[in-house]
C-alpha cells in the first residue's frame, strides 16, 4: 500500500491519504513492534535491549497503536461524508490541506497522550516500578491514567465508528430507491462494517 501510494499518482486521492497513514502505522507495528515483542516473549519476558530502548519501544508501540485507532475513525467519517455529500460539496469541503491537517492533528494528539507518560512517569513519581530486564510501562499501576487513555484510544473512537456506520446505514436505506446509488453506497457500508468488526475484535482483548 505504501509503495503503491508513493509511486502511483492516481492512487493519491484524499481518502487514500488515510489508508496510507493506516498502512504506515500497521507497518511499524508489524515490522518493528511485533518482532521485538516476540523476542521479549521468547526470552520469558526478559528484555535484553536496555532500559532506554525499552522506553523508545513502548513509546513507538503505544503511539502507533493509538494512531491506528484514530485513523480508522477518520476513515469512517470520510466514508460517511463521501456518501452523504454530493461530489461537488465533498470536494469543496474535504480538501488536501484539511486532510493533512487532520492526520497531523491525530499524530500530535497520540504523542501528547502517551509520550510524556511513557518517558517521564517514573520521574514524576520519584521511583520506578519496572523491574530490571522488564519492559513494562511505568503507568501500569495507575488506574486513573489507564482508564483515561483507554477512553480516548478505544471507547470514544469505537463508539464514534459504530455511530458513523449506523448513520451510513440509515442513509443507504433512504437512497434505496435509486439502484445505482444503492450499489455504490452498499459497498461503502460493507467496507465500513468490516472496519468496525475488525476494530472491536482486535482492540477489545488488548484494552
Amino acid at each position: 500500500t505504501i509503495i503503491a501510494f508513493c509511486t502511483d499518482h492516481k492512487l493519491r486521492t484524499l481518502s487514500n491519504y488515510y489508508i496510507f497513514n493506516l498502512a504506515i502505522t500497521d507497518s511499524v507495528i508489524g515490522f518493528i513492534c511485533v518482532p521485538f515483542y516476540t523476542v521479549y516473549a521468547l526470552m520469558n519476558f526478559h528484555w535484553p535491549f536496555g532500559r532506554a530502548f525499552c522506553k523508545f519501544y513502548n513509546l513507538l508501540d503505544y503511539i502507533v497503536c493509538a494512531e491506528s485507532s484514530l485513523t480508522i475513525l477518520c476513515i469512517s467519517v470520510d466514508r460517511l461524508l463521501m456518501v452523504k455529500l454530493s461530489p461537488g460539496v465533498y470536494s469543496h469541503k474535504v480538501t488536501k490541506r484539511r486532510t493533512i491537517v487532520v492526520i497531523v492533528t491525530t499524530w500530535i494528539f497520540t504523542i501528547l497522550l502517551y509520550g510524556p507518560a511513557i518517558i517521564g512517569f517514573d520521574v514524576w513519581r520519584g521511583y520506578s516500578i519496572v523491574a530490571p530486564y522488564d519492559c513494562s510501562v511505568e503507568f501500569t499501576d495507575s488506574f486513573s491514567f489507564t482508564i483515561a487513555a483507554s477512553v480516548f484510544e478505544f471507547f470514544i473512537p469505537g463508539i464514534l465508528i459504530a455511530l458513523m456506520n449506523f448513520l451510513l446505514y440509515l442513509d443507504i436505506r433512504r437512497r434505496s430507491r435509486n439502484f445505482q446509488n444503492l450499489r455504490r453506497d452498499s459497498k461503502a457500508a460493507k467496507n465500513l462494517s468490516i472496519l468496525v468488526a475488525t476494530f472491536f475484535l482486535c482492540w477489545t482483548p488488548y484494552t
Side-chain angles (χ1 to χ4, degrees):
T1 301
I2 296 175
I3 295 175
F5 182 88
C6 293
T7 57
D8 192 344
H9 291 278
K10 295 180 180 179
L11 294 178
R12 296 182 189 179
T13 63
L14 297 182
S15 296
N16 283 344
Y17 273 83
Y18 295 117
I19 303 297
F20 174 71
N21 191 51
L22 185 62
I24 291 176
T25 61
D26 290 347
S27 297
V28 172
I29 294 171
F31 292 110
I32 299 178
C33 297
V34 171
F36 279 104
Y37 184 82
T38 301
V39 173
Y40 179 48
L42 290 175
M43 295 185 67
N44 199 24
F45 297 99
H46 180 97
W47 183 259
F49 304 109
R51 185 63 187 152
F53 187 76
C54 171
K55 284 200 172 187
F56 173 76
Y57 163 80
N58 282 325
L59 183 67
L60 191 64
D61 185 34
Y62 276 79
I63 287 176
V64 295
C65 285
E67 178 62 23
S68 177
S69 172
L70 294 181
T71 302
I72 294 174
L73 174 59
C74 292
I75 293 172
S76 302
V77 174
D78 181 68
R79 291 292 186 268
L80 181 63
L81 293 176
M82 189 182 298
V83 169
K84 292 188 71 68
L85 301 178
S86 65
V89 175
Y90 175 83
S91 61
H92 176 73
K93 291 184 176 295
V94 182
T95 63
K96 180 179 178 180
R97 180 180 179 182
R98 290 177 180 175
T99 301
I100 293 175
V101 167
V102 169
I103 293 173
V104 171
T105 301
T106 59
W107 276 102
I108 292 174
F109 175 78
T110 55
I111 291 171
L112 292 178
L113 177 63
Y114 281 116
I118 292 174
I119 294 173
F121 210 89
D122 53 336
V123 177
W124 303 329
R125 184 165 43 196
Y127 61 91
S128 174
I129 65 167
V130 178
Y133 300 107
D134 189 12
C135 192
S136 301
V137 290
E138 295 284 353
F139 53 79
T140 52
D141 66 334
S142 176
F143 180 78
S144 57
F145 181 84
T146 303
I147 290 297
S150 296
V151 167
F152 285 110
E153 183 180 5
F154 172 71
F155 291 105
I156 292 178
I159 292 172
L160 291 177
I161 290 170
L163 177 61
M164 297 301 108
N165 191 48
F166 178 69
L167 292 175
L168 183 57
Y169 170 76
L170 293 179
D171 190 80
I172 289 173
R173 291 197 61 180
R174 183 178 61 83
R175 294 166 176 256
S176 60
R177 294 181 180 179
N178 188 316
F179 182 72
Q180 184 177 0
N181 286 343
L182 177 62
R183 291 186 61 185
R184 183 196 66 181
D185 297 344
S186 294
K187 183 178 180 180
K190 181 180 179 181
N191 292 338
L192 194 53
S193 298
I194 294 173
L195 274 176
V196 172
T198 304
F199 178 85
F200 282 101
L201 181 65
C202 295
W203 275 92
T204 300
Y206 172 80
T207 304

